[in-house]
Amino acid sequence: GAIAAFSDAVAAQPSVAKHRYNLGVALGRAHMFDQAADEFRSALKLDPALPNARRGLLIVTRRMEDDRAEAAADALAQKLEH
């Protein structure tokens, strides 16, 4: 799949920001938000002007926050039910 292909590209050329960005996108689509954020950060370190990398990082960061808030709400609801 896409994650494997972009992981291979990063392994072959770890200093190419576009490969890290593409891996971040693939990881984000797979809901692997922590790993996606790491790849977007790496891409931005290599090329701070890379188009859409900041946006990608913002999106996955928001998704991580949403997931944490949802998990906390679920835990509270379960606690209140018992």
Side-chain angles (χ1 to χ4, degrees):
I3 293 172
F6 292 127
S7 292
D8 289 347
V10 167
Q13 295 177 306
S15 62
V16 176
K18 186 70 174 172
H19 294 333
R20 293 194 175 271
Y21 168 78
N22 288 333
L23 179 55
V25 171
L27 290 164
R29 288 182 179 156
H31 295 247
M32 300 170 73
F33 302 126
D34 288 330
Q35 297 95 321
D38 289 342
E39 293 303 329
F40 287 131
R41 285 187 198 100
S42 293
L44 286 166
K45 283 180 186 173
L46 292 166
D47 181 359
L50 185 66
N52 294 323
R54 259 182 233 294
R55 183 173 181 264
L57 180 58
L58 179 62
I59 290 168
V60 297
T61 300
R62 285 184 179 162
R63 295 293 300 267
M64 287 187 297
E65 290 169 357
D66 290 348
D67 285 355
R68 288 186 190 115
E70 187 175 327
D74 289 347
L76 180 59
Q78 285 182 350
K79 203 177 221 184
L80 293 175
E81 288 175 3
H82 296 289

